Amino acid sequence: MIKENILETLAYFDMFDYPLLRGEIYLFLKNKQEYGVFDDALKCLLEGGMIHQFDRFYTLKNDHLLVVRRNEGNKKAAELIKIAEKVGNLLIRFPYVRGIAISGSLSKNFADENSDVDLFIITAKNKLWIARTIMHCFKKLTFLVNKEHLFCMNYYIDEQQLEITEKNLYTAIEIGTLIPLQGDTVFERFYTANAWTMEYLPNKNMRIASAKPVKGGFFKSFLEWLFNNRAGNTIDNMLMKITGGRWLKKTQQKKLNSHGIIMGMDTGKHYAKPDPRNFQSKLLARYQFRVDRILRAYEDSLAH
């Protein structure tokens, strides 16, 4: 079983042409394993030609250029993470923002020339849409300094609903690789609410040590005071309906984003996120196809 687990883990990250270190493979195994048993199984697969090693990295693909790509991507990611930290220091001062984390490929320590900073935002309960609207108005203004595409706030939840409803390998890995920047206490509660991820990643410890305490300020305190009433609740609901309607129209018109995927957003009172139907199901189906093919090849190798 341990060897199959290793192959399945490498199959997932090979979809993104991302070879893994020995320790990274172990962290993303779907079953709890002793490290010594894991290490023996890894060596066995390597000797049997089922996996390949280049420098410190392991992959199913016999292509050393993947390691070159990863090393370059790691260096680029280090630069972008520094930028993300500065962006997080700024955005945490916006009203109702309670937590900010790096998500997407950057949270896995990879970036290329087309990468931007994807951010995962947690807001105060029942004020997500006010927070999101103010933040996106600010983002629109960044075009004045040619920074509009530097960062992307593409996933919002609020403190009322910290649990991620889609429970699968993809979302477990996305949660497990988040890099919290701001909001130490809210991310403690977030990881507690998403303890289900241990079913998929039993060897992975969630990281909150990097998150800073939430900062306030006059601008933040004043606007929160201004909207902490019935009128604020009405405005929040109105902004949810307006934004949801605009995104629904984009989806119906089949507009594509920069990655060639039909634009879509799943909206609710306590969340605003990319529509999982547009990406997750296709990726998981592709992953399962790869796993089935690789495990058949492994079984064939044992038979001969």
Side-chain angles (χ1 to χ4, degrees):
M1 183 61 69
I2 176 62
K3 295 175 184 176
E4 287 85 347
N5 282 184
I6 292 172
L7 293 172
E8 289 167 348
T9 299
L10 288 173
Y12 185 89
F13 286 92
D14 268 14
M15 290 194 298
F16 306 98
D17 290 330
Y18 198 71
L20 297 178
L21 295 166
R22 175 187 275 107
E24 291 170 338
I25 299 172
Y26 179 77
L27 289 179
F28 291 104
L29 293 177
K30 72 176 185 179
N31 290 311
K32 192 79 174 176
Q33 300 288 351
E34 292 184 4
Y35 200 85
V37 176
F38 157 76
D39 208 33
D40 289 341
L42 188 66
K43 292 177 181 177
C44 186
L45 287 172
L46 190 61
E47 292 170 357
M50 288 301 300
I51 63 176
H52 305 277
Q53 180 181 5
F54 300 99
D55 193 14
R56 300 173 298 140
F57 300 97
Y58 298 83
T59 175
L60 297 177
K61 300 174 181 176
N62 189 13
D63 185 357
H64 76 280
L65 292 179
L66 294 178
V67 172
V68 175
R69 177 180 180 271
R70 166 158 179 174
N71 284 330
E72 292 175 351
N74 290 165
K75 292 178 183 178
K76 178 65 175 176
E79 299 171 5
L80 277 185
I81 287 174
K82 292 179 181 178
I83 295 173
E85 291 171 346
K86 294 179 181 179
V87 173
N89 286 336
L90 174 63
L91 295 181
I92 196 62
R93 300 178 185 274
F94 279 60
Y96 298 116
V97 180
R98 299 292 184 261
I100 300 174
I102 299 172
S103 61
S105 61
L106 186 59
S107 70
K108 298 158 190 69
N109 197 32
F110 182 83
D112 59 25
E113 62 278 2
N114 298 316
S115 295
D116 55 13
V117 175
D118 289 327
L119 296 175
F120 176 86
I121 313 290
I122 301 177
T123 74
K125 68 177 183 179
N126 298 323
K127 292 295 187 293
L128 183 152
W129 292 97
I130 291 176
R132 185 185 183 280
T133 301
I134 293 173
M135 295 173 81
H136 277 262
C137 286
F138 165 75
K139 186 176 185 300
K140 292 293 184 183
L141 292 176
T142 58
F143 83 92
L144 295 172
V145 290
N146 198 30
K147 301 292 185 181
E148 186 177 5
H149 301 293
L150 181 61
F151 63 96
C152 180
M153 302 168 291
N154 62 350
Y155 204 123
Y156 285 78
I157 60 173
D158 76 1
E159 293 178 296
Q160 181 70 24
Q161 189 174 311
L162 291 174
E163 183 181 33
I164 302 301
T165 55
E166 300 87 22
K167 296 177 174 63
N168 54 55
L169 178 63
Y170 171 78
T171 51
I173 289 177
E174 292 304 299
I175 291 169
T177 55
L178 285 174
I179 304 177
L181 299 174
Q182 302 284 343
D184 51 353
T185 58
V186 77
F187 272 104
E188 286 184 16
R189 289 187 281 122
F190 170 77
Y191 286 126
T192 298
N194 290 283
W196 60 265
T197 57
M198 294 299 291
E199 298 175 13
Y200 293 89
L201 304 173
N203 301 306
K204 185 81 170 66
N205 293 320
M206 303 305 163
R207 50 185 175 182
I208 59 172
S210 57
K212 300 177 182 177
V214 174
K215 295 179 180 179
F218 175 78
F219 172 71
K220 182 170 188 165
S221 299
F222 174 73
L223 285 182
E224 290 189 9
W225 170 82
L226 186 66
F227 290 115
N228 280 343
N229 48 50
R230 184 177 296 178
N233 294 333
T234 301
I235 292 171
D236 193 80
N237 290 332
M238 179 186 68
L239 291 172
M240 176 184 68
K241 292 178 181 177
I242 292 172
T243 306
R246 287 179 56 243
W247 275 90
L248 178 60
K249 185 176 292 186
K250 291 179 181 180
T251 303
Q252 291 172 339
Q253 294 174 347
K254 296 184 177 181
K255 290 188 176 181
L256 304 180
N257 63 17
S258 59
H259 301 290
I261 300 172
I262 295 176
M263 299 176 72
M265 185 167 71
D266 190 7
T267 60
K269 179 63 176 174
H270 307 294
Y271 62 88
K273 58 191 177 184
D275 190 340
R277 293 170 296 181
N278 287 344
F279 180 73
Q280 287 185 28
S281 58
K282 293 180 181 178
L283 182 139
L284 290 171
R286 185 157 58 96
Y287 166 67
Q288 191 58 55
F289 176 80
R290 290 175 64 85
V291 166
D292 291 343
R293 182 163 54 85
I294 290 163
L295 292 183
R296 282 197 301 270
Y298 174 62
E299 291 173 359
D300 290 343
S301 70
L302 294 177
H304 295 87

